Each structure stands twice: as structure tokens, then as C-alpha cells.
Amino acid sequence: MARSMHVRRPATLASLAAELGVSRTTVSNAYNRPDQLSPELRRRVLDTARRLGYPGPDPVARSLRTRKAGAVGLLLTENLSYAFRDPAAIGFLEGLALACEDAGTGLLLVPANPEREDVASVHRAGVDGFVVYSVPDDDPHLAAVLERPVPTVVCDQPDMGTVDRVGIDDKGAMYGLAQHLISLGHRRVGVICMRLARDRNDGFVTPERQHAAHFHVQRNRLSGLAEAFSEAGVDWSRIPVVERFDHNIASGESAAAQVLDADPQITALICCSDILALGAMQEAARRGLRVPHDLTITGFDGIREAEQAGLTTVRQPVLEKGRAAGKLLLDTNERARPRSVNLSTELIIGKTSAAPRGASEERWFGP
Amino acid sequence: MARSMHVRRPATLASLAAELGVSRTTVSNAYNRPDQLSPELRRRVLDTARRLGYPGPDPVARSLRTRKAGAVGLLLTENLSYAFRDPAAIGFLEGLALACEDAGTGLLLVPANPEREDVASVHRAGVDGFVVYSVPDDDPHLAAVLERPVPTVVCDQPDMGTVDRVGIDDKGAMYGLAQHLISLGHRRVGVICMRLARDRNDGFVTPERQHAAHFHVQRNRLSGLAEAFSEAGVDWSRIPVVERFDHNIASGESAAAQVLDADPQITALICCSDILALGAMQEAARRGLRVPHDLTITGFDGIREAEQAGLTTVRQPVLEKGRAAGKLLLDTNERARPRSVNLSTELIIGKTSAAPRGASEERWFGP
DNA sequence: AATTGGTTCTGAACCGTTACGGTCACTTCA
DNA sequence: TGAAGTGACCGTAACGGTTCAGAACCAATT
């Protein structure tokens, strides 16, 4: 066999064409447009490719030429692995993955460590579009994404006016939950929320910080609460609101402890997520507080674990949110951009909310 | 302002260089090698870039030139979204994501619908390497990955001799579990396993099919069982083994029903995954069988839900598996390839296994 | 005055492919 | 018989960067 053994460089489409004595176009067509050349030649091309160890057209070179990467990027601005620990994030991912596989598109998880301000990963991502999921509105990664000349859809973010958006009415949903509690008779409540900004502030939250929160979702949920309770005659500035940077059960526990220590008289603990609420339940149990008899606890999200626990919460369609984001991004119909999609939520009244212990029911019917 | 408004095409590095009257090299250096040009010029470049709306070097073009994509591909050969529904897969993903973010690398989820034989997604993926997680050994997507000239690590797959591998000793682990059951006195058992090949076969499995199973993991777990029970004098070919294509609780329920209908006398139900075992628990409850008094049930994986249920199972370090796979892939030290990593497992004896009801303990100590 | 060294910038080659607009030989049909 | 059509293949020009070996310049040293 005269097969040259000095082939250090792997075969390319050009070298294959040279070997065959045909043009590069023809080799390209053998892979991409079988109808553009005779079956015999095509077979000959493919056989020679195998013989030379040519693995087929290089995906990156193809992407450069066709201006298509065949993938969408997902920006989470959390340690990437966080996405796999939070049930709501997992649901979102599943929905997004669903939309991607329908379109035959890849899904690139972009590493965006919130600690370092390293935006290079966003610049390096070879994608046809971005989905940005619940990052602070002042996040440099978000800014970097918006500078990229590709379609983007933001999720659980404020409407930017320039890119598609998917979300829910966080404020309205929380307002509804608050009204439920108010109608039960709760006036003296405590609140536990997730991180409000990029800086860690594990403790009480001033009204200013609530207002200036960089996480759209948290800001709106708090604002819904504030509005409802203010309308009910409660001085919102006196309500203890505790923030936790890390989002896990332990945070819910310690935050609940902090609120209950600050005001043992509260009758309800409103949590901005189910995870935090589940933690609060544990702290309540530790203190011997019976839920809902001694203390009402509510969550937000409607994750499975919450359902099992019978938690009073707001269910939001996390999977649908992911799917909607994917569909919006992959829908080539550019006309109507930017679009804004609001998904509906549902108030789930579980076994963790009831009238406060001392409350007389009649009080709400009297003059 | 003389700013030309007929800029249809977005700015490129070349157009920016032309506008500035410098070479392309200089513009490139402004982004990639700040020390290679004077600070003033660099600022001028960056300012002009902003003015022209130049978003920085195109990632795809850069990848083509540098031969680095900054991402690794993950092949699952399951509907992509499945990865987010199976706790073990989620754990693996988390570990892999951990390794990726440590390296600042993206993680591309490659869509590989098992239904269609469409391998194009593998060809299109612009990645520096692949992780292949638990696909059948005859999967065309796997073959396509192996043809790509990039490093690959397979997980829960047979050792291919040519690429890195991460896994556990499935056979040994299951052998150990079987010995536990044998020592308790179980001889008449039933088995529930996950899909053994790409074709759907929801029902009993012949010994041939067990042997020829295309899923390495399942094949080895069954083989570990067969070996242990054969050694204990049990005719393995008479043991009912039921297969389910879909991996979820409902499959576990229906499979358990099928086994129990076939042989109501079995004293233990060995499931090849915790998910299936949890389903079997539900079916047992439905039939009024008390676990472990009337029926022993075991799982495999050691997911959190199993722990909560007190399931007897084999715990495997799913997160570590993902992390190891990522580390192997991202470790540039090419020398020692291919490498093979076996992680250790742990037999968890929970509350779902006990001696069979009729068994007299003494029997195992007599002559 | 010649050499050395350092900084700043350039020219040209190269990465591997596909899009576009042909050419050319060979039917087909009036 | 000539015009029009068809199938098979090709040449060229991008696509948007990075890289490396120098060139040009200036200051400091021999």
C-alpha cells in the first residue's frame, strides 16, 4: 500500500478533495447535499474519507461559514452546579431542554461564577442565542450577553424592552398570597427572602434594600407583600424581613430562627421560596411550634417537596417557563420582537396556613 | 456626525482596524494581549469598538483558529430533558458541571434523540471533548463520538480500551447485595431491571437477552445477581426478570405487579435502580404486602428519596462520577491515556430487607 | 558609531468550511 | 436542427479571527 504514513496533520476536506482529484465543493456536497452528486462519486468520497480517517466536516469551521452554531447558551450566574441542586432551576432546565431537543439544538451551560467578574466565558460561547435565568439586573455577565449580537430571552428578569422576556407576575402572586393570610387574620408576620443583591447580607433587610433589590423576582415578591399588608393597615417598615444569600434548607432554618428570635409574637412566616419554607418548617418543629396551629408558614414555587409537605404556596409553572423561553428563542419569526410572556400562577392553600391562634373568627364579620 | 449609517453588516475586527488605521493584529491584541500595545491605543481601540457596536472577537472564528471551543459535550442518548428527571442523572450532571466550572469550561448538552438515528447533532457539536453517559454500547451516537478526533471519556460503559472510562463495579456491587439477601435466607426472588437494549421490551427477559444486554450497567448488575444466586444453588434461569423501557416510578409499579403475578411466592424483589424500587414499594403497599415482613425490596443508586424511604440499596457516588469524568476529560496530561477509574460503592442495609417470613434462622447454621 | 535591547506595531499565512454563480456535456422536444 | 432544460461538478470568495516572524523606532550601553 502506497498510503503515505507521514500524515501528521489530520485530513481536511481540502486534502480529501486533493486525494480524490475533485473540488472541495464536491466533498462538501457529499456530506451536506447528497443530491448534488452522483451516488458513485459520493460513495467514493465517503470511502476515501474513512480510509484517510477524515471525521467529516469540522463543526467549528462549518459554524463560522454558515453563521449557525446549533446551540443556545444558558446563563445562570450561579455556580453552574447550583442549577442541579435547586428543584425550581431543574424544572426550568428540563423545560428548556425540551424546547431544545424539539429543535435539535444543543444547550450550552455557560459557566459564570458570580465571584469573579470574569465575563470571558460569555464572550467565548459559540451559540445562536442566550437564555438568561434569574440573575441580578446589574450582573456583568448579563451585560456581556446583551452586547452579543444574538437573540436573547431573559427569564425572571425585569422587562428590558430590547429582548424577549418570560416570567410570572411575582408581585401579583405574592399579593394574592398575602391577602389569603390577611383574610385569615394575620397582621404580625415575618418574611424570609432569598438574596437581594450580589453582596452577601445574611440578616435583616432595610426597606431601602428591599426597594433597591437587584433580583427582580425577590423585589417584586416583597413589593407584593408590602402592598397587601400596607393596604390592610400594617406598617410594613416594622415587619422583620430576613435575607439569606445561599438558597437551601439550612438557610431557611437559620433565617426562621432569626425572625422568631426578633419577634416571637409573629403568627405567620412568609418565605419567598419553598426551599426556605421547608427550612422554616424544620426550625418551627425544633422550637416545638405546631404548624399551622402556632405558626403559619408559606412558600413560593410549588416544588414537589412542598406539595408533599402540604405547604401553602404559590405554584408557578417552572417547566413551562423553561419551555417558553426556549420556544421564544428558537422561534425564527423575528417580526414581533421583543415579546413578553407572562405565565399564570396558582395559589395553593395547603395545611401550613390557618388563622392565628388567638384570633376569633367573628372579628372579621363584625363592624 | 459623519458616522456612516449604511452599516448593514455588523462590525468585524477587520473593519474596526480599517476605521482606526491600524492592523488587525493590533485590534486582536487589544482584546487578547493588552501588554502588546500601548494603553492609549488600546483605549482608542476599545472606544471605537463601542462606538461601532463591535461586540468583540467572534467566538466561532476564534475557535476555528485556536482549535479550542471552550466547551465539552455531554451525550446522554435519552431525550435531553430526561437528564433532569432522574435523580442519579442529575447528580452526575452536577458533578460534571462542578468540574467544568472549575476549569471555566462550558458544558454542551448534545441532543441525541434515541428514536431517530440522527447523528448530525454529534457532528455539529463544537466541543473540545465528549463525556458519554450510560448509552447502549451499540448506540450510533456513541460511534459518532468515537469518530470525532477529540478526547472522550465514557461513563457507565464497558472499557473500550481507546478512551478514558469512569464507572463502578456494578457486578461486584450487585453481587454483594445478593449475598446479603442470600444470607438472610432469600432464594425465591424476582428482579426488575431497566431497559437492556434500544428496543422496547416491557416484560420478561430471557437469559439470552440478559447476556446480550447493550447497557453495560444493567448487564453487569444482572450478571452479579446471577453469579451470587447460582453459587447459592439457585437455578437462575427460573428467576423471573422483568424489564422496563421507561425509567420512572410507574414502571417500577407495573413491573413489580408483573413479577408478583408470575410468582406470588417470591420473598424478595431486587430492583436495578432506586426509582424502580420506589415504584415496587408502592405496588407492594397496594397489594397489602408489608415490607420487609412479607416482601423484601432492594434498589440501586442511593438517591435521596431512597434514603428517606429507608431502602436497602447500593449507594454509588453519582456526583463524584460526574466530577471524575470531567476531570479526566479536562486534564490535559495526555500521557497516560486511556485511563480507567473505578469508584467505590457502599451497601446500605435499610429497613426494606429482612429474612423471609417463613424462614427459620437456625436453618443456616445446621449441617 | 555601532551594538544591544525593548516596546509597539505590521504583513501575510493560516484555520476548514460553505455559498454563490458559474461551466459543460448530455438529453428532450418542437 | 436548434433551443431550452437538466444533472454533475467546479472556482472563487468569503466567514472572522490568531499567530509568528519581523520592521520601525527609540534609548541605553559598549
Side-chain angles (χ1 to χ4, degrees), chain A residues 91-105 107 319-320 322-324 326-327 330, chain B residues 79-82 84-85:
Chain A
F92 179 83
L93 270 169
E94 182 182 342
L96 182 54
L98 235 37
C100 285
E101 72 191 10
D102 278 353
T105 304
L107 179 57
L319 188 138
E320 272 315 315
R323 204 208 304 256
K327 282 200 169 144
L330 295 166
Chain B
N79 296 326
L80 228 179
S81 55
Y82 163 81
F84 302 109
R85 237 171 295 147

PDB file of all heavy atoms in Angstrom, chain A residues 91-105 107 319-320 322-324 326-327 330, chain B residues 79-82 84-85:
ATOM      1  N   GLY A  91     -36.425  22.231  37.127  1.00  0.00           N
ATOM      2  CA  GLY A  91     -37.642  22.245  36.321  1.00  0.00           C
ATOM      3  C   GLY A  91     -37.502  23.164  35.125  1.00  0.00           C
ATOM      4  O   GLY A  91     -37.894  22.828  34.003  1.00  0.00           O
ATOM      5  N   PHE A  92     -36.925  24.303  35.369  1.00  0.00           N
ATOM      6  CA  PHE A  92     -36.701  25.249  34.280  1.00  0.00           C
ATOM      7  C   PHE A  92     -35.791  24.639  33.215  1.00  0.00           C
ATOM      8  O   PHE A  92     -36.063  24.701  32.018  1.00  0.00           O
ATOM      9  CB  PHE A  92     -36.076  26.533  34.828  1.00  0.00           C
ATOM     10  CG  PHE A  92     -35.794  27.557  33.777  1.00  0.00           C
ATOM     11  CD1 PHE A  92     -36.797  28.412  33.347  1.00  0.00           C
ATOM     12  CD2 PHE A  92     -34.536  27.671  33.220  1.00  0.00           C
ATOM     13  CE1 PHE A  92     -36.549  29.359  32.365  1.00  0.00           C
ATOM     14  CE2 PHE A  92     -34.270  28.611  32.239  1.00  0.00           C
ATOM     15  CZ  PHE A  92     -35.279  29.460  31.811  1.00  0.00           C
ATOM     16  N   LEU A  93     -34.718  24.035  33.668  1.00  0.00           N
ATOM     17  CA  LEU A  93     -33.779  23.394  32.757  1.00  0.00           C
ATOM     18  C   LEU A  93     -34.453  22.305  31.936  1.00  0.00           C
ATOM     19  O   LEU A  93     -34.218  22.184  30.731  1.00  0.00           O
ATOM     20  CB  LEU A  93     -32.630  22.770  33.559  1.00  0.00           C
ATOM     21  CG  LEU A  93     -31.437  23.666  33.799  1.00  0.00           C
ATOM     22  CD1 LEU A  93     -30.503  23.048  34.815  1.00  0.00           C
ATOM     23  CD2 LEU A  93     -30.696  23.887  32.493  1.00  0.00           C
ATOM     24  N   GLU A  94     -35.291  21.541  32.601  1.00  0.00           N
ATOM     25  CA  GLU A  94     -35.967  20.470  31.877  1.00  0.00           C
ATOM     26  C   GLU A  94     -36.843  21.042  30.762  1.00  0.00           C
ATOM     27  O   GLU A  94     -36.821  20.549  29.634  1.00  0.00           O
ATOM     28  CB  GLU A  94     -36.821  19.640  32.839  1.00  0.00           C
ATOM     29  CG  GLU A  94     -37.505  18.488  32.145  1.00  0.00           C
ATOM     30  CD  GLU A  94     -38.400  17.680  33.074  1.00  0.00           C
ATOM     31  OE1 GLU A  94     -38.257  17.781  34.306  1.00  0.00           O
ATOM     32  OE2 GLU A  94     -39.251  16.930  32.549  1.00  0.00           O
ATOM     33  N   GLY A  95     -37.567  22.083  31.093  1.00  0.00           N
ATOM     34  CA  GLY A  95     -38.411  22.705  30.077  1.00  0.00           C
ATOM     35  C   GLY A  95     -37.588  23.266  28.930  1.00  0.00           C
ATOM     36  O   GLY A  95     -37.923  23.094  27.756  1.00  0.00           O
ATOM     37  N   LEU A  96     -36.502  23.906  29.275  1.00  0.00           N
ATOM     38  CA  LEU A  96     -35.639  24.480  28.247  1.00  0.00           C
ATOM     39  C   LEU A  96     -35.035  23.369  27.382  1.00  0.00           C
ATOM     40  O   LEU A  96     -34.986  23.472  26.144  1.00  0.00           O
ATOM     41  CB  LEU A  96     -34.531  25.304  28.908  1.00  0.00           C
ATOM     42  CG  LEU A  96     -33.553  26.023  27.997  1.00  0.00           C
ATOM     43  CD1 LEU A  96     -34.292  26.909  27.006  1.00  0.00           C
ATOM     44  CD2 LEU A  96     -32.572  26.844  28.820  1.00  0.00           C
ATOM     45  N   ALA A  97     -34.620  22.300  28.038  1.00  0.00           N
ATOM     46  CA  ALA A  97     -34.050  21.171  27.301  1.00  0.00           C
ATOM     47  C   ALA A  97     -35.081  20.574  26.356  1.00  0.00           C
ATOM     48  O   ALA A  97     -34.766  20.174  25.235  1.00  0.00           O
ATOM     49  CB  ALA A  97     -33.546  20.107  28.276  1.00  0.00           C
ATOM     50  N   LEU A  98     -36.308  20.534  26.815  1.00  0.00           N
ATOM     51  CA  LEU A  98     -37.409  20.026  25.990  1.00  0.00           C
ATOM     52  C   LEU A  98     -37.523  20.833  24.703  1.00  0.00           C
ATOM     53  O   LEU A  98     -37.605  20.277  23.602  1.00  0.00           O
ATOM     54  CB  LEU A  98     -38.708  20.139  26.798  1.00  0.00           C
ATOM     55  CG  LEU A  98     -39.581  18.926  27.018  1.00  0.00           C
ATOM     56  CD1 LEU A  98     -38.787  17.659  27.215  1.00  0.00           C
ATOM     57  CD2 LEU A  98     -40.498  19.161  28.199  1.00  0.00           C
ATOM     58  N   ALA A  99     -37.523  22.132  24.856  1.00  0.00           N
ATOM     59  CA  ALA A  99     -37.635  23.002  23.684  1.00  0.00           C
ATOM     60  C   ALA A  99     -36.431  22.821  22.765  1.00  0.00           C
ATOM     61  O   ALA A  99     -36.552  22.814  21.541  1.00  0.00           O
ATOM     62  CB  ALA A  99     -37.758  24.461  24.120  1.00  0.00           C
ATOM     63  N   CYS A 100     -35.276  22.649  23.366  1.00  0.00           N
ATOM     64  CA  CYS A 100     -34.057  22.489  22.569  1.00  0.00           C
ATOM     65  C   CYS A 100     -34.072  21.192  21.778  1.00  0.00           C
ATOM     66  O   CYS A 100     -33.724  21.164  20.599  1.00  0.00           O
ATOM     67  CB  CYS A 100     -32.822  22.531  23.466  1.00  0.00           C
ATOM     68  SG  CYS A 100     -32.416  24.172  24.035  1.00  0.00           S
ATOM     69  N   GLU A 101     -34.474  20.127  22.422  1.00  0.00           N
ATOM     70  CA  GLU A 101     -34.422  18.859  21.700  1.00  0.00           C
ATOM     71  C   GLU A 101     -35.484  18.823  20.613  1.00  0.00           C
ATOM     72  O   GLU A 101     -35.299  18.187  19.582  1.00  0.00           O
ATOM     73  CB  GLU A 101     -34.521  17.672  22.648  1.00  0.00           C
ATOM     74  CG  GLU A 101     -35.852  17.418  23.281  1.00  0.00           C
ATOM     75  CD  GLU A 101     -35.716  16.378  24.394  1.00  0.00           C
ATOM     76  OE1 GLU A 101     -34.575  16.026  24.757  1.00  0.00           O
ATOM     77  OE2 GLU A 101     -36.739  15.922  24.894  1.00  0.00           O
ATOM     78  N   ASP A 102     -36.569  19.521  20.828  1.00  0.00           N
ATOM     79  CA  ASP A 102     -37.567  19.624  19.764  1.00  0.00           C
ATOM     80  C   ASP A 102     -36.963  20.277  18.530  1.00  0.00           C
ATOM     81  O   ASP A 102     -37.274  19.931  17.405  1.00  0.00           O
ATOM     82  CB  ASP A 102     -38.770  20.462  20.242  1.00  0.00           C
ATOM     83  CG  ASP A 102     -39.743  19.632  21.049  1.00  0.00           C
ATOM     84  OD1 ASP A 102     -39.541  18.400  21.124  1.00  0.00           O
ATOM     85  OD2 ASP A 102     -40.692  20.209  21.596  1.00  0.00           O
ATOM     86  N   ALA A 103     -36.095  21.226  18.766  1.00  0.00           N
ATOM     87  CA  ALA A 103     -35.496  21.968  17.661  1.00  0.00           C
ATOM     88  C   ALA A 103     -34.169  21.343  17.231  1.00  0.00           C
ATOM     89  O   ALA A 103     -33.524  21.843  16.313  1.00  0.00           O
ATOM     90  CB  ALA A 103     -35.294  23.421  18.072  1.00  0.00           C
ATOM     91  N   GLY A 104     -33.769  20.277  17.875  1.00  0.00           N
ATOM     92  CA  GLY A 104     -32.484  19.653  17.536  1.00  0.00           C
ATOM     93  C   GLY A 104     -31.298  20.535  17.864  1.00  0.00           C
ATOM     94  O   GLY A 104     -30.235  20.416  17.275  1.00  0.00           O
ATOM     95  N   THR A 105     -31.487  21.394  18.827  1.00  0.00           N
ATOM     96  CA  THR A 105     -30.446  22.351  19.192  1.00  0.00           C
ATOM     97  C   THR A 105     -29.740  21.904  20.466  1.00  0.00           C
ATOM     98  O   THR A 105     -30.366  21.322  21.339  1.00  0.00           O
ATOM     99  CB  THR A 105     -31.096  23.723  19.443  1.00  0.00           C
ATOM    100  OG1 THR A 105     -31.831  24.090  18.288  1.00  0.00           O
ATOM    101  CG2 THR A 105     -30.044  24.770  19.728  1.00  0.00           C
ATOM    102  N   LEU A 107     -27.682  22.635  24.053  1.00  0.00           N
ATOM    103  CA  LEU A 107     -27.852  23.582  25.150  1.00  0.00           C
ATOM    104  C   LEU A 107     -26.523  23.734  25.870  1.00  0.00           C
ATOM    105  O   LEU A 107     -26.029  22.780  26.474  1.00  0.00           O
ATOM    106  CB  LEU A 107     -28.924  23.066  26.112  1.00  0.00           C
ATOM    107  CG  LEU A 107     -29.219  23.925  27.329  1.00  0.00           C
ATOM    108  CD1 LEU A 107     -29.634  25.328  26.914  1.00  0.00           C
ATOM    109  CD2 LEU A 107     -30.310  23.297  28.174  1.00  0.00           C
ATOM    110  N   LEU A 319     -41.450  24.409  34.595  1.00  0.00           N
ATOM    111  CA  LEU A 319     -41.106  23.706  33.359  1.00  0.00           C
ATOM    112  C   LEU A 319     -41.591  24.504  32.148  1.00  0.00           C
ATOM    113  O   LEU A 319     -40.856  24.693  31.173  1.00  0.00           O
ATOM    114  CB  LEU A 319     -41.720  22.310  33.365  1.00  0.00           C
ATOM    115  CG  LEU A 319     -41.271  21.403  32.219  1.00  0.00           C
ATOM    116  CD1 LEU A 319     -41.013  20.000  32.716  1.00  0.00           C
ATOM    117  CD2 LEU A 319     -42.287  21.382  31.098  1.00  0.00           C
ATOM    118  N   GLU A 320     -42.811  24.980  32.250  1.00  0.00           N
ATOM    119  CA  GLU A 320     -43.362  25.770  31.147  1.00  0.00           C
ATOM    120  C   GLU A 320     -42.546  27.031  30.906  1.00  0.00           C
ATOM    121  O   GLU A 320     -42.420  27.518  29.786  1.00  0.00           O
ATOM    122  CB  GLU A 320     -44.819  26.145  31.430  1.00  0.00           C
ATOM    123  CG  GLU A 320     -45.813  25.110  30.970  1.00  0.00           C
ATOM    124  CD  GLU A 320     -45.504  24.594  29.564  1.00  0.00           C
ATOM    125  OE1 GLU A 320     -45.216  25.416  28.669  1.00  0.00           O
ATOM    126  OE2 GLU A 320     -45.514  23.376  29.359  1.00  0.00           O
ATOM    127  N   GLY A 322     -39.341  27.362  31.297  1.00  0.00           N
ATOM    128  CA  GLY A 322     -38.167  26.969  30.524  1.00  0.00           C
ATOM    129  C   GLY A 322     -38.531  26.704  29.078  1.00  0.00           C
ATOM    130  O   GLY A 322     -37.844  27.141  28.156  1.00  0.00           O
ATOM    131  N   ARG A 323     -39.638  26.011  28.895  1.00  0.00           N
ATOM    132  CA  ARG A 323     -40.022  25.687  27.542  1.00  0.00           C
ATOM    133  C   ARG A 323     -40.388  26.943  26.753  1.00  0.00           C
ATOM    134  O   ARG A 323     -40.021  27.099  25.579  1.00  0.00           O
ATOM    135  CB  ARG A 323     -41.202  24.708  27.551  1.00  0.00           C
ATOM    136  CG  ARG A 323     -41.260  23.894  26.250  1.00  0.00           C
ATOM    137  CD  ARG A 323     -42.663  23.453  25.898  1.00  0.00           C
ATOM    138  NE  ARG A 323     -43.319  22.697  26.927  1.00  0.00           N
ATOM    139  CZ  ARG A 323     -43.500  21.369  26.895  1.00  0.00           C
ATOM    140  NH1 ARG A 323     -43.024  20.675  25.893  1.00  0.00           N
ATOM    141  NH2 ARG A 323     -44.150  20.777  27.857  1.00  0.00           N
ATOM    142  N   ALA A 324     -41.086  27.824  27.424  1.00  0.00           N
ATOM    143  CA  ALA A 324     -41.470  29.067  26.747  1.00  0.00           C
ATOM    144  C   ALA A 324     -40.233  29.873  26.364  1.00  0.00           C
ATOM    145  O   ALA A 324     -40.151  30.428  25.260  1.00  0.00           O
ATOM    146  CB  ALA A 324     -42.380  29.892  27.657  1.00  0.00           C
ATOM    147  N   GLY A 326     -37.275  28.721  25.692  1.00  0.00           N
ATOM    148  CA  GLY A 326     -36.653  28.050  24.559  1.00  0.00           C
ATOM    149  C   GLY A 326     -37.403  28.319  23.274  1.00  0.00           C
ATOM    150  O   GLY A 326     -36.808  28.628  22.239  1.00  0.00           O
ATOM    151  N   LYS A 327     -38.704  28.222  23.336  1.00  0.00           N
ATOM    152  CA  LYS A 327     -39.508  28.423  22.128  1.00  0.00           C
ATOM    153  C   LYS A 327     -39.350  29.840  21.607  1.00  0.00           C
ATOM    154  O   LYS A 327     -39.223  30.071  20.400  1.00  0.00           O
ATOM    155  CB  LYS A 327     -40.980  28.134  22.429  1.00  0.00           C
ATOM    156  CG  LYS A 327     -41.280  26.649  22.465  1.00  0.00           C
ATOM    157  CD  LYS A 327     -42.773  26.399  22.279  1.00  0.00           C
ATOM    158  CE  LYS A 327     -43.040  24.922  22.051  1.00  0.00           C
ATOM    159  NZ  LYS A 327     -44.285  24.477  22.671  1.00  0.00           N
ATOM    160  N   LEU A 330     -35.976  30.120  19.971  1.00  0.00           N
ATOM    161  CA  LEU A 330     -35.764  29.322  18.760  1.00  0.00           C
ATOM    162  C   LEU A 330     -36.771  29.652  17.670  1.00  0.00           C
ATOM    163  O   LEU A 330     -36.620  29.215  16.531  1.00  0.00           O
ATOM    164  CB  LEU A 330     -35.840  27.833  19.115  1.00  0.00           C
ATOM    165  CG  LEU A 330     -34.709  27.373  20.041  1.00  0.00           C
ATOM    166  CD1 LEU A 330     -35.008  26.013  20.632  1.00  0.00           C
ATOM    167  CD2 LEU A 330     -33.392  27.362  19.285  1.00  0.00           C
TER     168      LEU A 330
ATOM    169  N   ASN B  79     -33.934  11.374  25.725  1.00  0.00           N
ATOM    170  CA  ASN B  79     -34.421  12.710  25.476  1.00  0.00           C
ATOM    171  C   ASN B  79     -33.671  13.585  26.453  1.00  0.00           C
ATOM    172  O   ASN B  79     -33.544  13.266  27.630  1.00  0.00           O
ATOM    173  CB  ASN B  79     -35.928  12.784  25.698  1.00  0.00           C
ATOM    174  CG  ASN B  79     -36.654  11.893  24.699  1.00  0.00           C
ATOM    175  OD1 ASN B  79     -36.192  11.758  23.567  1.00  0.00           O
ATOM    176  ND2 ASN B  79     -37.738  11.295  25.115  1.00  0.00           N
ATOM    177  N   LEU B  80     -33.145  14.664  25.921  1.00  0.00           N
ATOM    178  CA  LEU B  80     -32.290  15.530  26.710  1.00  0.00           C
ATOM    179  C   LEU B  80     -32.908  15.841  28.059  1.00  0.00           C
ATOM    180  O   LEU B  80     -32.235  15.838  29.086  1.00  0.00           O
ATOM    181  CB  LEU B  80     -32.095  16.844  25.941  1.00  0.00           C
ATOM    182  CG  LEU B  80     -30.673  17.366  25.813  1.00  0.00           C
ATOM    183  CD1 LEU B  80     -30.657  18.641  25.011  1.00  0.00           C
ATOM    184  CD2 LEU B  80     -30.037  17.521  27.134  1.00  0.00           C
ATOM    185  N   SER B  81     -34.188  16.073  28.050  1.00  0.00           N
ATOM    186  CA  SER B  81     -34.847  16.504  29.276  1.00  0.00           C
ATOM    187  C   SER B  81     -34.860  15.394  30.323  1.00  0.00           C
ATOM    188  O   SER B  81     -35.022  15.655  31.509  1.00  0.00           O
ATOM    189  CB  SER B  81     -36.277  16.932  28.971  1.00  0.00           C
ATOM    190  OG  SER B  81     -36.945  15.882  28.313  1.00  0.00           O
ATOM    191  N   TYR B  82     -34.673  14.153  29.902  1.00  0.00           N
ATOM    192  CA  TYR B  82     -34.660  13.043  30.848  1.00  0.00           C
ATOM    193  C   TYR B  82     -33.609  13.253  31.925  1.00  0.00           C
ATOM    194  O   TYR B  82     -33.800  12.910  33.089  1.00  0.00           O
ATOM    195  CB  TYR B  82     -34.388  11.737  30.108  1.00  0.00           C
ATOM    196  CG  TYR B  82     -33.958  10.609  31.011  1.00  0.00           C
ATOM    197  CD1 TYR B  82     -34.896   9.883  31.732  1.00  0.00           C
ATOM    198  CD2 TYR B  82     -32.617  10.283  31.148  1.00  0.00           C
ATOM    199  CE1 TYR B  82     -34.498   8.858  32.567  1.00  0.00           C
ATOM    200  CE2 TYR B  82     -32.213   9.259  31.981  1.00  0.00           C
ATOM    201  CZ  TYR B  82     -33.160   8.542  32.693  1.00  0.00           C
ATOM    202  OH  TYR B  82     -32.755   7.542  33.521  1.00  0.00           O
ATOM    203  N   PHE B  84     -32.911  15.628  33.487  1.00  0.00           N
ATOM    204  CA  PHE B  84     -33.346  16.481  34.586  1.00  0.00           C
ATOM    205  C   PHE B  84     -34.488  15.854  35.383  1.00  0.00           C
ATOM    206  O   PHE B  84     -35.071  16.478  36.240  1.00  0.00           O
ATOM    207  CB  PHE B  84     -33.770  17.848  34.060  1.00  0.00           C
ATOM    208  CG  PHE B  84     -32.657  18.523  33.320  1.00  0.00           C
ATOM    209  CD1 PHE B  84     -32.705  18.670  31.950  1.00  0.00           C
ATOM    210  CD2 PHE B  84     -31.549  18.981  34.000  1.00  0.00           C
ATOM    211  CE1 PHE B  84     -31.666  19.272  31.265  1.00  0.00           C
ATOM    212  CE2 PHE B  84     -30.507  19.581  33.327  1.00  0.00           C
ATOM    213  CZ  PHE B  84     -30.566  19.725  31.956  1.00  0.00           C
ATOM    214  N   ARG B  85     -34.809  14.613  35.031  1.00  0.00           N
ATOM    215  CA  ARG B  85     -35.905  13.979  35.751  1.00  0.00           C
ATOM    216  C   ARG B  85     -35.397  12.826  36.615  1.00  0.00           C
ATOM    217  O   ARG B  85     -36.045  12.422  37.548  1.00  0.00           O
ATOM    218  CB  ARG B  85     -36.938  13.457  34.729  1.00  0.00           C
ATOM    219  CG  ARG B  85     -38.317  14.017  34.959  1.00  0.00           C
ATOM    220  CD  ARG B  85     -39.219  13.646  33.806  1.00  0.00           C
ATOM    221  NE  ARG B  85     -38.777  14.275  32.564  1.00  0.00           N
ATOM    222  CZ  ARG B  85     -38.909  13.735  31.360  1.00  0.00           C
ATOM    223  NH1 ARG B  85     -39.472  12.561  31.222  1.00  0.00           N
ATOM    224  NH2 ARG B  85     -38.478  14.365  30.289  1.00  0.00           N
TER     225      ARG B  85
END
